[in-house]
Amino acid sequence: MWYVIYSEDVENSLPMRKEARPAHLARLQELTDKGRLLVAGPCPAIDSEDPGEAGFTGSLVIADFNSLQHAQEWADADPYIAAGVYKKVVVKPYKKVLP
């Protein structure tokens, strides 16, 4: 089943994001390689594809897991959590309807 993982950043998270980004992306690449990632990306702090030093306010991941518990465990192990990037993470089941 698909699960939404929506994470909200702490203030001024950009330096921490930059440091933990390679490990964060490696985990997302693993899901991609297994055909389990629907979409993933950050939420820019301003209305721009490249927010520069404004940074990001959070992230969204929609991925396939065996259960809500597995999705939560995966989210809890995100390098951005260990780096202090996220202040809040919500994991919910998701039903893809369109397209």
Side-chain angles (χ1 to χ4, degrees):
M1 178 170 196
W2 295 112
Y3 292 88
V4 170
I5 302 169
Y6 179 73
S7 306
E8 294 181 17
D9 284 20
V10 298
E11 294 290 322
N12 303 311
S13 63
L14 190 58
M16 295 175 286
R17 271 182 170 270
K18 287 179 178 178
E19 186 173 326
R21 188 169 191 256
H24 173 78
L25 292 178
R27 295 178 78 234
L28 291 169
Q29 187 61 52
E30 287 178 21
L31 290 177
T32 300
D33 293 346
K34 295 176 183 175
R36 294 177 43 207
L37 185 65
L38 181 64
V39 66
C43 301
I46 59 174
D47 191 12
S48 174
E49 288 272 333
D50 181 7
E53 291 304 309
F56 301 92
T57 61
S59 300
L60 173 74
V61 174
I62 301 177
D64 181 37
F65 293 96
N66 291 330
S67 68
L68 179 58
Q69 179 181 342
H70 286 125
Q72 186 68 59
E73 289 170 357
W74 187 90
D76 290 345
D78 193 308
Y80 280 175
I81 290 179
V85 172
Y86 294 149
K87 66 179 174 183
K88 180 179 179 183
V89 178
V90 176
V91 181
K92 294 183 177 187
Y94 175 75
K95 181 179 175 183
K96 184 178 184 286
V97 176
L98 294 171

